[in-house]
Amino acid sequence: MERYAELKEAVEKLELVDAHAHNIVDLDSTFPFLRCFSEAEGEALSYVPHSLSFKRSLRDIAKLYGCETSLHAIETHRRSSGLQSISIKCFEAAKIGAILIDDGIEFDKMHDVEWHRNYSPVVCRVLRIEHLAEKILDKELPNGSEWTLDMFTETFMTKLKSVADRVVALKSIAAYRSGLEIDTHVNKKDAEEGLIETLSAGKPIRIQNKHLIDYIFTCSLEVALKFNLPMQIHTGFGDKDLDLRLSNPLHLRTVLEDKRFARSCIVLLHASYPFSKEASYLASVYPQVYVDFGLAVPKLSVHGMISSVKGLLELAPIKKVMFSTDGYAFPETFYLGAKIAREVVFSVLCDACDDGDFTIPEAVEAAEDIFKKNAIRLYKIDGIIDLFDSKNAVSNDLVMTFQKDIVFIRIIWVDTSGQHRCRVVPIKRFYDVVKKNGVGLTSASMAMSSTSDGPSNGTNLTAVGEIRLMPDLSRKWMLPWAQKEEMVLADMHVKPGQAWEYCPREALRRITKILKDEFNLEMNAGFENEFYLLRNVLRGGREEWVPFDSTPYCSTSAFDSASPLFQEVYFALQSLDIPVEQLHAESGKGQFEIALGHRVCTDAADNLIFAREAIRAVARKHGLLATFVPKYSLDDIGSGSHVHISLWENGKNVFMGSKQSSLHGMSVVGEEFMAGVLSHLPSILAFTAPLPNSYDRIQPDTWSGAYLCWGKENREAPLRTACPPGVSDGLVSNFEIKSFDGCANPHLGLASIVAAGIDGLRRHLRLPEPVETNPSSLSESIERLPKELSESVEALEKDEVMKNLIGENLLKAVIGVRKAEIDYYSKNKDAFKQLIHQY
């Protein structure tokens, strides 16, 4: 599934607009929990546990709650946890950013629309027209008067217009009452007789007369058209009240052909199942018809859900297909609807890509349209919600309710020297002030070295001046290792909305944009994190940090000892949406490695920061110290942060060559990019190996890449092309850069790599022949990489490509900080031993 990694990530990360749902009830409501799994009621409910959707949904809910997979265990968990707790859990897992609630169906002890704002940032109302009409007719007229059609029409239309600006859509359940063959020219005499028949049946009023229903529908559609509101219509299956034969959306032709309503917007709910293809056809030939697949997902079997969504997409334009959960009564229905919809849509889009209907980028766009953008446009909630430009951007009152257990938010940045730093603010201040305005930070923050919290000489940055740390809400997570806290990565702005030229994240974004604009390429990166686990001991009355164990490479006993820690790290990374590919004990005493999955490089750099935070924090919880220092002990093997690089175009790995024409197993663009990296490698090291200690690691015969060369699967070369399992013989999928360590700012390091690759592409550079042996045996004919940081800095100072692409001022800051490191550590030979506490 590597081909669809980008699509899967997009589908899983999307914050959804739930375009059709209903109210949730209290735990002691008489509405049976079995209705969570089916539209059945009464005696038919006893057969629900034998349905495919029940068995699947039960497992999904049990997994979410961490309880036994049984209806009894789930109901017990619901009662013991309380509605608030399970609602928070379900909505957080569902990642629903907006809900459109049709509150026209009344359940026992149901909560009003406003209550749902506790669990979703934005909640809007959909008005059910038949419910409004019934409520009006239920009221007694003054002086014993009797309802007439004119009186009812005036009252109904006045009420409807009075709330039209406070709802996002109207909704009709005509399919449940008299069917969808609606006569938009129903005469008033027939409608009046229908009103009389309805009133004579007694109260509470239930409108079932076809003429009256058609009349109410037509009046409502006129209001919807006037106020530019969509009309949602129940189509297809539901509970046994409806006649399925009359709920086929093809019956709506009279409505769709009526010229008065040609500019109206009609939403066919529930995929019109089992009439999904009919709904797709209508959406394809009538400009005013849209389709929604809630209820069909998740109530059908997997095959049924996939089939119904595919049926919708056979003809319907993507811009007209929308997601909803049709959640009701129970928070679990919202969770199931969101979870399974993601799975089904991903499966359908993958098949469409396999069939050649979509490219990967087109499938990603389709997912965004289906899950949020189409609903935003149709229901015009873009003025209400800023959800998709700034994720989780909600008012303070909502956040304080939704996240009342959060106390602090850590605002994290990584400076020029690669140190992780943070400001911590209380959650109320974060949403009151910081989310919009950021927090102030001295400009000198990007001039600090690993040895001093003051500005380094030559950086052009001083103690004068302030920038704003602006939280990137799309990169905000709860801390798995610290209760009641969250962390968020920050960008550096001169003022809110204006990026600072020294911001590392912005530098990487800017350079990757050049790569995209000039060559239509994206660089993916995957990091291997090597680190030492150290424990504290007393020796001669002094504390010392010593290796966690003394086992060799890939030792089973080493992993056995550390397994509880790594299980916790793994689950922490999972909760942060960071993929883990493998982990093992490394060659050093107490040394381990965790390899992360590849992502587009901007996300990969963010993930690396979060991964380091997680590993260090979990180690601390276990009484250990995790250090990423390149050479924590001069007597042991060093630690790197090797990075694997690949190039992607329109969702396809284009670094890899083809069997027909491929030099060294890579494409022409792959070779040119890699040749650019090789030619600039000495200056790249100033970013990726930023400390004098880094060069204690980059030594011959240590698998760290000490010579300026490249090789095929040659682990002594600094650049190594790799052919992982699943790649055809003779081809390579990526190349590894070994001279990248855990003290590097990942955004600056990757920015330098992209800049070098761009130069290679622009100049059509070619690689020399690969080195097929240990390069140290060819030391007389192969150039040595910089042996010291000063040599890398000298190379960087002469590198006009880096200066032009990365920016002259940012480059000065990097060089100034590096020279400060050189000066300090040259005078303090043992100072590197303290770096374990910083990296």
Side-chain angles (χ1 to χ4, degrees), residues 368-387:
E368 292 174 345
D369 284 337
I370 290 169
F371 281 121
K372 59 181 183 181
K373 291 184 177 179
N374 292 344
I376 289 175
R377 285 190 292 265
L378 182 64
Y379 298 106
K380 293 172 286 297
I381 58 175
D382 51 336
I384 303 171
I385 186 168
D386 192 25
L387 182 63

Side-chain angles (χ1 to χ4, degrees), residues 551-568:
T551 52
Y553 173 71
C554 281
S555 165
T556 55
S557 59
F559 190 79
D560 192 45
S561 299
S563 179
L565 180 150
F566 283 115
Q567 288 183 33
E568 191 170 343

Side-chain angles (χ1 to χ4, degrees), residues 642-692:
H642 307 164
V643 61
H644 289 257
I645 301 296
S646 56
L647 294 176
W648 294 72
E649 181 178 22
N650 299 328
K652 180 181 179 182
N653 185 345
V654 294
F655 179 81
M656 185 162 40
S658 63
K659 290 184 177 180
Q660 288 73 28
S661 58
S662 174
L663 184 62
H664 307 307
M666 66 187 88
S667 64
V668 172
V669 294
E671 181 183 0
E672 291 178 354
F673 188 94
M674 185 174 168
V677 174
L678 181 63
S679 70
H680 289 276
L681 195 53
S683 54
I684 289 174
L685 261 62
F687 294 93
T688 62
L691 296 176

